[in-house]
Amino acid sequence: MTEHVISTFDACSRTLRQNDLRQALYDEAALMMDRSLVNLHGTEHRARRNVEATVFRKNIFVEYERNVLPVTLEETLSPFLAAGRGDLVDIGYRIMMNLTVDFTGIDRTERSPEETAELLRLLKEFSLAPALGQSPPEDRPAKRARIEAAMAQFNQRFLHPSLERRRALKTRVDSGELPADALPRDVLMALVSGESALGMTEHEFLQEGIFFTMAGAHTTIHSLTHAIHEILQWIAAHPEDIARLRDDPFFVQQCVFESLRLHPSSPVAKRRTTCPFALANGGEAQAGDTIVVNLRSANRELEIFGADADRFNPHRVINGSAFAHGISMGVGAHACLGRNLAIGVEPRPGTDPADHQFGTVPLIVKALLQSGVTADPDSPAELDGGITRISWATYPVLFDKTRAII
């Protein structure tokens, strides 16, 4: 089997849209992800995605933005604001865990500090899986053992009880004992409702519950930390844009798009051919070959994103119809199902801010900027040296509302 690397924006976009190519990025993480949505192919993928799409709707996203996120932000940020400091990676985990756990359908019966700490610990263990392929080979066995242990603990304490409660609720609704609106609007409930048609095993339910909990939180934290870092650096060099951050309701979101373009959650996507496939360079991949889609390179193509494509510039003018964030959220059948929930939709000329969907990441970034977040000068941020992609391991910050830039 041969590995083929493609890096131009057009070739990467076209490759990601090919239905004959299977997901191959998470082969090293099969123990946790082989039967999750991201790895399914063809009719299986389409059937499960269609079931889960019933909760990935604009009205539900808007409900989260306007009613759920503000409460979560206030609860999560309060102790850090009172202390005047914190770590942005830890803060991000806490915010997104609360949001994604609820959206996935993981019940938290205790709502205690101990329960929250345990969920955070498990979430960080799960985050090892998607990056296994980017970890040194000698580190992978130990990381797999940690992931397996975390999966068993998560299933026993959280996933299985949550699943059984939803099955019991569905039985009561089906019998007429409860009205249909008594069912929670979350991913697990959608899967339970479509259980007979999907034929999922208990292990598949576990993998899917973990995937949505982990993906929604971990990838968002990656995007959040990079966005804050890029904005703080930009404002230090371009203080004239402070006014725009304050006055332009869409500018923070534009900054997030630009940061995400530079820093996709994974620098590459991978696909495996199921039949001979014609490559953009004129060559041909054979069945079973791997195609590496270089998202980082595609998102920095000069002809599309300009001469400064490798640098952060929230005023960027794009040549063509590419998203402002490039293809960081994917395109085609495996495009991120929660893209609009995470980063919102791109505003068009004349868009009314009151009706606009901004996305959770831009709204969290805005809340942090309004709280006077700055990098801690006495405790420099550190990159994660355990994987090959650029990701922050720690990002100490200070808070001072009197010095907030917006």
Side-chain angles (χ1 to χ4, degrees), residues 1-16:
M1 292 185 291
T2 304
E3 186 174 272
H4 309 270
V5 179
I6 58 174
S7 56
T8 67
F9 189 88
D10 180 65
C12 290
S13 298
R14 286 193 286 113
T15 299
L16 292 176

Side-chain angles (χ1 to χ4, degrees), residues 16 23-25 266-271 291-295:
L16 292 176
Q23 175 68 263
L25 183 62
S266 175
V268 301
K270 289 185 179 182
R271 297 291 187 265
I291 299 177
V292 179
V293 181
N294 192 328
L295 304 177

